[in-house]
Each structure stands twice: as C-alpha cells, then as structure tokens.
Amino acid sequence: CVDLTTNSQDDASIATKMLKGKTEKLKSFRGDGAYDDFDFRKTLGKTVRQIIPPPKNAVLQKNTIKKPLPDYLEQRNEAVNFINKQNRKQWKIQESYHKRSLNEVVMFRYKITFGGNMNARKIENQQTEVKIKCAILNKYSRITMPISVKAA
C-alpha cells in the first residue's frame, strides 16, 4: 500500500483506510506513537501483533459492566502494563521495536533513487507519480536485492 498525503492528514487515519480489509496476511505492524489510535488498532484487530508504543501518559483501558474491553485493545494494555512495571526501553527491546527503522531505510532508498522532489504539480498527479515510483522500486528491489539466508 502506498499513499501520498498532505500535512493535514494524520498517519493513523490514512493507514486505517489503506489497511481496511487487507490484514488477513499481516502478522505484525510496527509504527511510532502516531499509530496509537483506537480506530487503527481496531482495523489491525486481535490477530495482528501491534508493536506501537503507547504515549507516556497512557492508562489501562478497563472493562465496564456496560462496555467490555474490545479485544483489539488487549495488546495496548499489555504494552502499558509492561512499560509501567519495567520501562519503555525494555519494552522496545522485548518487542524488537528497532526493526521499525527498516521502513526508514525504504524511504531513504526511494529518495536516493528518485530524489526528494515531485515532478507533478497537482496532488492527484503527485499521488500517481508516487505509486508508479514505488512500483518501479519494488521491481528493482526484487531483481537486484540479494537473497540471503541466515546460517545455521
């Protein structure tokens, strides 16, 4: 999935639209705190491992008589609980949160390959431009990236 947005749109709402109905093969999702959004977590559901740090002032979501805790918030509660008992750094180590930086590597590869500027002027044309460039980058990566296997 790829989408180019303006600064007025937040990451979680765009990702919610992009992933709606497309999470059946998704095993995990790593994202920064901008993705700690209940609607986004609902889109991911219970089966996707949600590796999203809750904010520093996050509180546990509780069951009530009228409203039980949705299953998609259980992982968030686990993270809040762990961070409260240990600390945020330990949570990041346990969850291999550092792997999120691989997304930044992809963006770096995109900018090195195509530059940081757009050729199109209208946002609709820029969105198409980005999708075409991503398709090219994906093909390029499949052809040129080495296949590596971890040694036993």
Side-chain angles (χ1 to χ4, degrees):
C1 295
V2 63
D3 198 2
L4 176 70
T5 62
T6 63
N7 289 337
S8 64
Q9 297 168 302
D10 70 288
D11 295 345
S13 65
I14 298 303
T16 299
K17 292 175 190 169
M18 290 174 68
L19 291 178
K20 199 156 271 206
K22 297 178 184 173
T23 59
E24 63 277 346
K25 293 182 181 178
L26 194 60
K27 292 181 182 177
S28 67
F29 178 90
R30 282 179 177 78
D32 61 23
Y35 293 96
D36 184 45
D37 176 83
F38 289 1
D39 286 338
F40 181 65
R41 286 181 179 273
K42 184 176 183 178
T43 299
L44 291 176
K46 183 180 181 177
T47 58
V48 176
R49 184 74 185 129
Q50 302 173 12
I51 305 169
I52 304 167
K56 290 183 168 107
N57 61 350
V59 295
L60 291 171
Q61 300 299 306
K62 304 208 185 230
N63 281 318
T64 64
I65 294 170
K66 294 181 181 178
K67 195 173 179 186
L69 180 70
D71 59 2
Y72 59 87
L73 290 180
E74 289 174 5
Q75 293 182 56
R76 183 180 190 274
N77 271 358
E78 289 171 13
V80 172
N81 225 358
F82 186 93
I83 291 168
N84 287 342
K85 288 180 181 175
Q86 302 277 327
N87 60 45
R88 186 170 295 275
K89 183 178 180 183
Q90 287 301 321
W91 176 83
K92 288 180 177 182
I93 291 169
Q94 176 188 309
E95 295 296 337
S96 300
Y97 183 69
H98 64 280
K99 289 183 180 180
R100 182 181 68 87
S101 65
L102 295 174
N103 297 332
E104 303 301 331
V105 172
V106 172
M107 289 304 300
F108 175 75
R109 189 178 304 135
Y110 177 96
K111 288 180 180 178
I112 289 296
T113 305
F114 300 111
N117 298 324
M118 297 290 193
N119 295 314
R121 291 187 179 160
K122 293 181 180 176
I123 186 73
E124 300 85 20
N125 297 340
Q126 289 176 349
Q127 289 170 331
T128 303
E129 182 181 337
V130 166
K131 288 177 184 178
I132 291 169
K133 287 177 177 178
C134 285
I136 292 168
L137 191 61
N138 285 338
K139 283 218 186 272
Y140 176 72
S141 295
R142 277 189 226 110
I143 293 168
T144 61
M145 295 293 279
I147 298 170
S148 60
V149 179
K150 189 174 184 179

